[in-house]
Amino acid sequence: MWFVVCFILAVVVGCEEKNQTVVAEATAEEPYIYLDSTSQLNIYYPQFSRVDLVCEQMPRTSETDVVMCCAAAFTREQQATFSHDNIAGDHVSGGVFYNGYTCSSNTGTFVFYGDYWRFIPSCHSDSITKAADTGGMAFSQIMLVYNGRRCQCHVKGRSRFRALCEKDGQLCIVESRRLQDFEFFVRSLMDYGVTHALYLQPGKGWNYAWYRDNAGMVHIMHPKTHDYSTNWITFYY
């Protein structure tokens, strides 16, 4: 029976991205991701060896070392061709520093290099340069929570908001379970107990994201509807 199950899973590898596709295999001892939830939030804890900001082309589900990816920094305009200066704020991708456009909404930065990450309550930091010098990554966004305290910020409208967070010393992606207003979302983050939270670009068309479960199966969190997104925070196994 186990042989038959394995054969069926192997056949699924050739499916299109719009379906859930088995592209890797993990064991209970080596999970890809931990999932959590509250009445208001879905929480994803990717297990990773490194994090990068991938630009221009979103990681494909066939890249078996990718655990999770979703949009990170804002994109200024819907442009037919990619340009780093269409990404909000200076950023580091693959260890290379790029100038982005000046975005007044950006109030915080996330950096990762080596096995070290840091949330920074500003967009001008030596840590961004250090991330480039050491082959890391960095991007800026709206800081929602810093050191457990609510930051001064507001986003209009209702959405399924998303944020990159740290809780109990672990990185996680947190998303609204349903349409919410911004204040409710941030309050839900605080109730969940995050130490830091940095906004991630949400909204229909910009929220295309996927993750790999512990059976190696890819789950599309939100479908792709256009080709104008420019950058994605990406967790590698």
Side-chain angles (χ1 to χ4, degrees), residues 49-65:
S49 61
R50 66 184 179 95
V51 185
D52 201 0
L53 182 72
V54 175
C55 298
E56 186 172 7
Q57 178 62 55
M58 184 182 188
R60 300 182 183 278
T61 59
S62 58
E63 295 179 46
T64 58
D65 59 339

Side-chain angles (χ1 to χ4, degrees), residues 15 130 168 199:
C15 295
K130 187 172 182 179
D168 299 331
Y199 196 61

Side-chain angles (χ1 to χ4, degrees), residues 3 50 61 67 69 88 116 157 204 229:
F3 173 79
R50 66 184 179 95
T61 59
V67 177
C69 58
Y116 170 88
K204 188 175 180 180
S229 298

Side-chain angles (χ1 to χ4, degrees), residues 53-177:
L53 182 72
V54 175
C55 298
E56 186 172 7
Q57 178 62 55
M58 184 182 188
R60 300 182 183 278
T61 59
S62 58
E63 295 179 46
T64 58
D65 59 339
V66 176
V67 177
M68 186 175 188
C69 58
C70 61
F74 289 126
T75 296
R76 176 168 51 184
E77 298 174 340
Q78 296 185 358
Q79 297 183 354
T81 58
F82 172 78
S83 174
H84 279 282
D85 61 13
N86 197 32
I87 296 175
D90 296 340
H91 51 280
V92 178
S93 172
V96 180
F97 179 92
Y98 298 96
N99 290 118
Y101 74 90
T102 300
C103 178
S104 59
S105 296
N106 286 351
T107 54
T109 300
F110 175 79
V111 300
F112 183 94
Y113 45 86
D115 58 355
Y116 170 88
W117 72 75
R118 185 180 178 190
F119 289 82
I120 305 165
S122 72
C123 300
H124 307 284
S125 172
D126 292 339
S127 293
I128 298 178
T129 303
K130 187 172 182 179
D133 292 341
T134 55
M137 61 82 73
F139 72 96
S140 294
Q141 254 290 2
I142 303 172
M143 185 65 76
L144 310 181
V145 179
Y146 184 72
N147 281 342
R149 295 186 177 183
R150 167 80 157 86
C151 298
Q152 291 291 332
C153 56
H154 183 70
V155 176
K156 295 180 180 179
R158 292 171 59 83
S159 182
R160 291 188 62 174
F161 293 108
R162 184 186 292 161
L164 171 66
C165 302
E166 180 178 334
K167 183 181 187 296
D168 299 331
Q170 297 185 71
L171 287 181
C172 56
I173 301 293
V174 183
E175 184 177 272
S176 308
R177 296 189 66 174

Side-chain angles (χ1 to χ4, degrees), residues 193-205:
V194 303
T195 305
H196 307 300
L198 191 69
Y199 196 61
L200 297 176
Q201 176 157 323
K204 188 175 180 180

